[in-house]
Amino acid sequence: MTAKTDVPTYDQPPGNEGHVIIAGFGRFGQIVGRVLSAQKISFTALDISADQVDFVKRYGAKIYYGDASRLDLLRAAKAEEARAFVLAIDDVEASLATAEMVRKNFPRLEIYARARNRQHAYRLMDLGIIIIWRETFASSLELTRDLLVGLGDDRDKADSIVSRFMEHDRMRLFEHYTHHTDDEKMQDLAKESAKELEEMFARDAEEADLIDDPAPDRRAAE
Amino acid sequence: MTAKTDVPTYDQPPGNEGHVIIAGFGRFGQIVGRVLSAQKISFTALDISADQVDFVKRYGAKIYYGDASRLDLLRAAKAEEARAFVLAIDDVEASLATAEMVRKNFPRLEIYARARNRQHAYRLMDLGIIIIWRETFASSLELTRDLLVGLGDDRDKADSIVSRFMEHDRMRLFEHYTHHTDDEKMQDLAKESAKELEEMFARDAEEADLIDDPAPDRRAAE
């Protein structure tokens, strides 16, 4: 799901003056901030650790230290005037607590979320968030693209394989979510996600005759 | 740097019969495995944790449990016949130990590496590895692309901004590495990486007049 069909709307759009909030200014949030900075789009970073990246203030950015799920911090960061909220916190529970607080208090603010894995993505979807990128997903596909070329595919073919995989897998994330909320709904998260990984392989293969005797395991699926 | 100009060569290419080794079968390695599986390219997974993903055997894959830096495990996985080695281990030290063992014992085997961050990437480069994807880098750019569209850019413009950023940042990784080995060479890794993040912002901005009074901080740059 991309922002293409989900452009946020505002009652009082702050126009070019509006800022983007980036919650979590580690490896993921920094990249977002660098692109925004280069594009002269102002942003406000929120991070749990102090004394880290104060220098960003010299690039027109603001930074606040503390728990991004705190309403007073979100208000200090002027969340009510923000154009978008980038949820780039690595810790799953901290990410969800922040998402919940933003959804509740700033319901019109569009959230662009980083997720650790599929299970984290489902919990973000529970909060109505739909623009979600699993944090290692795109890099693993970039590496796979290079690998396919190294193994002899031409680049167009590798591009096509990887693009189709990305698109299908992201669609499936939404399909599975729907299915997921229908029945046991994460009673047993670990078992569920392992079963899901297995199902991913099955659907990737699209060859029923390769499959026999499925057995559950305990790994979380990406 | 992509595989485009670095297609691996083999003395005795095992052709389509050859397998790919995936060391580390977590979130990153699973995606690589799923694409290979769907493409009917056989792979052998190595993972430190047992009892996890045995089901992949039903998809023509092999799996060995244990420390991928162990020579006996690499030999059991038939590393000498492999077409490529995907280093998808999340732990930095375990990744480097494995990379070192593979480079030493199977010097012709091309390594496609996942890196935690820039510092990890530099240490992989020290071992002669050049195909490296920082694990959260591409997803943070995908999210940024969606964000730019949400903020009003058309998709072509957002694509162009993100593609240029990706290309430039990856080039800089190599530039910095060269510079990096010249002088103090990671005497103070944390300080170095924080300084580098600051430099990234400075170069992104490309506007010297925005910058004043740089001060070091301690965050590792993505």
Side-chain angles (χ1 to χ4, degrees):
Chain A
M1 186 73 52
T2 71
K4 203 169 196 174
T5 53
D6 303 291
V7 176
T9 54
Y10 313 95
D11 279 355
Q12 295 191 315
N16 293 330
E17 298 306 309
H19 66 309
V20 172
I21 296 178
I22 302 176
F25 205 63
R27 297 174 295 156
F28 198 108
Q30 286 166 14
I31 294 290
V32 182
R34 284 174 51 199
V35 176
L36 293 182
S37 181
Q39 296 300 310
K40 313 275 184 270
I41 296 168
S42 64
F43 70 88
T44 300
L46 305 179
D47 200 273
I48 193 74
S49 313
D51 87 352
Q52 297 276 9
V53 282
D54 261 353
F55 73 87
V56 297
K57 292 176 187 167
R58 291 197 301 281
Y59 297 89
K62 289 193 176 68
I63 185 152
Y64 293 90
Y65 300 111
D67 178 347
S69 72
R70 273 172 38 206
L71 187 55
D72 62 329
L73 198 73
L74 291 167
R75 288 202 169 120
K78 296 206 181 351
E80 72 282 1
E81 296 171 11
R83 304 166 72 192
F85 191 93
V86 176
L87 181 62
I89 297 171
D90 54 356
D91 180 83
V92 172
E93 297 307 325
S95 157
L96 291 165
T98 302
E100 200 167 356
M101 188 59 86
V102 171
R103 292 289 295 169
K104 187 175 166 192
N105 293 281
F106 310 97
R108 290 190 305 274
L109 187 54
E110 188 84 31
I111 297 177
Y112 296 78
R114 161 190 188 173
R116 180 165 172 77
N117 53 23
R118 301 179 87 88
Q119 297 301 327
H120 185 191
Y122 294 143
R123 294 176 69 190
L124 291 164
M125 289 181 204
D126 278 341
L127 299 168
I129 298 168
I130 53 171
I131 306 168
I132 300 170
W133 281 93
R134 283 163 287 163
E135 65 189 18
T136 63
F137 180 66
S139 282
S140 61
L141 285 175
E142 291 289 349
L143 182 143
T144 303
R145 187 203 316 263
D146 286 347
L147 174 62
L148 292 171
V149 173
L151 295 177
D153 282 344
D154 64 41
R155 187 148 284 265
D156 285 348
K157 185 181 174 194
D159 283 347
S160 159
I161 290 167
V162 163
S163 301
R164 276 187 291 122
F165 184 93
M166 182 183 273
E167 193 184 332
H168 289 171
D169 189 74
R170 299 193 82 213
M171 272 169 45
R172 275 190 222 160
L173 192 67
F174 284 86
E175 281 172 28
H176 270 247
Y177 173 70
T178 314
H179 167 73
H180 199 259
T181 47
D182 287 348
D183 41 31
E184 74 259 272
K185 193 167 177 166
M186 296 181 281
Q187 281 172 12
D188 184 343
L189 276 183
K191 191 176 164 192
E192 180 74 13
S193 62
K195 206 171 62 188
E196 189 159 38
L197 173 61
E198 194 163 338
E199 195 175 333
M200 294 294 116
F201 264 91
R203 293 196 54 175
D204 294 334
E206 294 176 321
E207 290 210 24
D209 57 324
L210 282 172
I211 306 157
D212 65 275
D213 183 33
D217 60 65
R218 297 198 291 278
R219 168 119 5 158
E222 167 55 19
Chain B
M1 186 71 58
T2 70
K4 201 170 197 170
T5 55
D6 301 293
V7 177
T9 54
Y10 313 94
D11 282 354
Q12 296 190 313
N16 293 331
E17 298 307 307
H19 66 308
V20 172
I21 296 177
I22 303 176
F25 206 62
R27 297 175 297 157
F28 197 108
Q30 287 166 13
I31 294 290
V32 181
R34 284 174 51 199
V35 176
L36 293 182
S37 180
Q39 296 300 311
K40 314 272 184 271
I41 297 168
S42 64
F43 70 87
T44 299
L46 306 178
D47 200 274
I48 194 73
S49 312
D51 86 349
Q52 297 276 11
V53 282
D54 261 353
F55 74 86
V56 298
K57 291 176 186 167
R58 290 198 300 283
Y59 298 89
K62 289 192 176 68
I63 185 151
Y64 293 90
Y65 300 111
D67 178 347
S69 73
R70 271 171 39 205
L71 187 56
D72 62 331
L73 198 71
L74 292 167
R75 288 204 169 121
K78 297 207 181 346
E80 71 282 1
E81 296 172 10
R83 303 166 72 191
F85 190 94
V86 176
L87 182 63
I89 297 171
D90 54 357
D91 181 82
V92 172
E93 297 307 324
S95 157
L96 291 165
T98 302
E100 199 167 356
M101 188 60 84
V102 171
R103 292 291 294 168
K104 187 175 167 193
N105 293 281
F106 310 98
R108 288 190 306 273
L109 186 55
E110 188 84 29
I111 297 177
Y112 296 77
R114 162 191 189 171
R116 179 166 172 77
N117 53 23
R118 301 180 87 89
Q119 298 300 326
H120 186 191
Y122 294 143
R123 294 176 68 192
L124 291 165
M125 290 181 203
D126 278 341
L127 298 169
I129 297 168
I130 53 170
I131 305 168
I132 300 170
W133 283 93
R134 285 163 287 162
E135 64 189 19
T136 64
F137 180 67
S139 282
S140 62
L141 285 175
E142 292 289 350
L143 182 144
T144 303
R145 187 203 315 262
D146 285 346
L147 174 63
L148 292 172
V149 173
L151 295 176
D153 282 345
D154 64 40
R155 188 147 284 265
D156 284 348
K157 185 180 172 193
D159 283 346
S160 158
I161 289 167
V162 163
S163 302
R164 275 187 291 120
F165 184 93
M166 182 183 272
E167 191 184 333
H168 289 171
D169 189 74
R170 300 194 81 212
M171 273 169 43
R172 275 189 221 160
L173 192 68
F174 283 86
E175 282 172 26
H176 270 248
Y177 174 71
T178 314
H179 168 75
H180 197 259
T181 47
D182 287 349
D183 40 32
E184 74 261 272
K185 193 167 178 164
M186 297 181 282
Q187 281 172 13
D188 184 343
L189 275 185
K191 191 176 164 191
E192 180 75 14
S193 62
K195 205 171 63 188
E196 188 160 38
L197 173 61
E198 195 163 338
E199 195 174 331
M200 292 295 115
F201 264 91
R203 294 196 54 177
D204 293 333
E206 294 176 322
E207 291 210 25
D209 56 325
L210 284 172
I211 305 156
D212 64 275
D213 182 34
D217 59 66
R218 297 199 290 280
R219 168 115 9 155
E222 167 56 16

